[in-house]
Amino acid sequence: MAEQITPRADDYGQWYQDVIRAAKLAETSPVRGSMVMPPNGYELWENMRDGLDGMFKATGHRNAYFPLFIPKSFLEKEAEHVEGFAKECAVVTHYRLKEEGGELIVDPDAELDEPLVVRPTSETIIWDTYSRWIQSWRDLPLKLNQWANVVRWEMRTRLFLRTAEFLWQEGHTAHATEQEAVDETRQMLDVYADFAQDWMAMPVIRGVKTASERFPGAVDTYCIEALMQDGKALQAGTSHFLGQNFARAFDCTFQNQDNEPEYVWATSWGVSTRLIGALIMTHGDDAGVIMPPRLAPVQVAIVPITRKNGDNEAVMDAARQMRDDLVADGVRVVLDDRDQYRPGWKFAQYEVEGVPVRLAVGPRDVENGTAEMARRDSGDKEAVSQREIAAHVRRALHEVQQGLYDRALAFRQQHTHTADTYDAFKAQIEEGGFVLMHWDGTAETEAQVKEETKATIRCVPFPGQFSGVDTEAPGTDPVSGAPSAGRVVFARAY
């Protein structure tokens, strides 16, 4: 399997596509810009979804569902919102086809009274609903989340990272006070960061977006940023403080405790199947993807080493017993007893698919009461006791999970630099990674750097995230020569 994958050093973009194909995570579909997710990819998303869903519910959120189709007039109610999404909207104008001359055509008599936009995001339809649900301070806070698909008509697509249709979750909350909404926005950013680090084994930087990078209609957008192995940044999640913008647009008011009308304060936040792309590019190697154990659809693959035309019952009994012991311990395990594939082929396929731990058991292992345990992250192998297999696997899974995070964190630290001159900045950006440089806070300087280097401000980082660097210490912007309140994170990005 490994020979089907382009080495990262030769062509990182092709490597990414090859890994997705070889690991059976996704494939392009007949619909431009959309993807098919086979079980390997969809089960990974299910595990992400289930982990996040538990974290959302633990912080007091409930799930709901809102329509896929949004009246065009709804988007027009919030000026920044419609400007931000207008060029990406798919629009439904008719509701019927008819046959004419042996061909299906759009029936011109079936035009909708008002065009419907296929959901690019749900703020407008949800705040129209909230305006009916919220009447009094007693109705607040309202904290809902939706698991859904959205459509944004991207012109340049890449599997998981940027597709016309993708899966995601979007949280939408309503609050009685500004501070409560701001606290919610920060809390959900922390949830995303904890998920990225504890489940995905992917270190992230937390911060706030500049005005030019904000979500359309937001007062502030907070984000988590991760660094991929090619030195590019990837925005992995966002949480938006919407102020009262959408409440005003949809006339969503409540009677406060002084019996006075007041506009509701709002947030929204979301992550998508882009996280799968982030996982691949954070942990993958030239042999394929490497799955963090907490998210891996299969955590352990058991491969029996049987003899052709031999008595293999003892080997299969041992394999089945290990499988049962692991299932009882809560491990996601597969016993690969397919006889149409040789063990070596199976080993290679599980390596491509990134299964964290592989167990092999053959006649000699049965005699010794052992199995060979191999780790996907390091390739290390050891003989372990079959009777104590659950304890050995639990240890290995923990070590793989922690080891992947430690390795990704070390990579980020090695590829994070400071620059105090514009020439040094330009040179470092060519090398890739995060570059911490002073910024004067103006959109003009931000645009100049982007135009000249293709680097963007990924975020204004929260303090204390870079060892030995005080990003809040004032200085001078080396581009404009103007005073700077602190360093921001620049990088080229997906």
Side-chain angles (χ1 to χ4, degrees), residues 59-73:
T59 47
H61 301 83
R62 300 179 69 190
N63 288 334
Y65 187 79
F66 296 87
L68 173 67
F69 300 112
I70 299 171
K72 182 172 72 71
S73 59

Side-chain angles (χ1 to χ4, degrees), residues 290-354:
I290 302 178
M291 295 282 185
R294 291 194 75 176
L295 292 173
V298 175
Q299 295 171 313
V300 178
I302 302 174
V303 179
I305 310 299
T306 55
R307 295 170 176 165
K308 190 174 183 180
N309 302 322
D311 183 3
N312 298 307
E313 196 55 36
V315 170
M316 294 308 302
D317 284 345
R320 284 189 285 264
Q321 184 61 58
M322 288 194 296
R323 176 198 60 194
D324 294 346
D325 290 347
L326 292 172
V327 169
D329 202 49
V331 176
R332 296 186 291 276
V333 59
V334 62
L335 169 55
D336 194 340
D337 57 359
R338 297 173 295 174
D339 57 13
Q340 65 266 46
Y341 298 109
R342 296 179 64 84
W345 186 94
K346 297 176 183 179
F347 291 168
Q349 185 59 36
Y350 290 126
E351 183 177 43
V352 168
E353 294 178 6

Side-chain angles (χ1 to χ4, degrees), residues 343-402:
W345 186 94
K346 297 176 183 179
F347 291 168
Q349 185 59 36
Y350 290 126
E351 183 177 43
V352 168
E353 294 178 6
V355 174
V357 172
R358 188 190 72 233
L359 297 172
V361 57
R364 184 170 296 179
D365 298 300
V366 172
E367 292 176 6
N368 297 330
T370 61
E372 180 187 77
M373 183 172 71
R375 285 174 43 170
R376 174 62 180 88
D377 62 331
S378 63
D380 292 344
K381 299 176 182 178
E382 63 177 306
V384 296
S385 166
Q386 293 178 22
R387 296 186 62 180
E388 299 173 351
I389 197 64
H392 288 298
V393 165
R394 195 183 312 116
R395 167 182 56 83
L397 293 175
H398 172 76
E399 290 175 353
V400 172
Q401 183 79 30
Q402 186 62 48

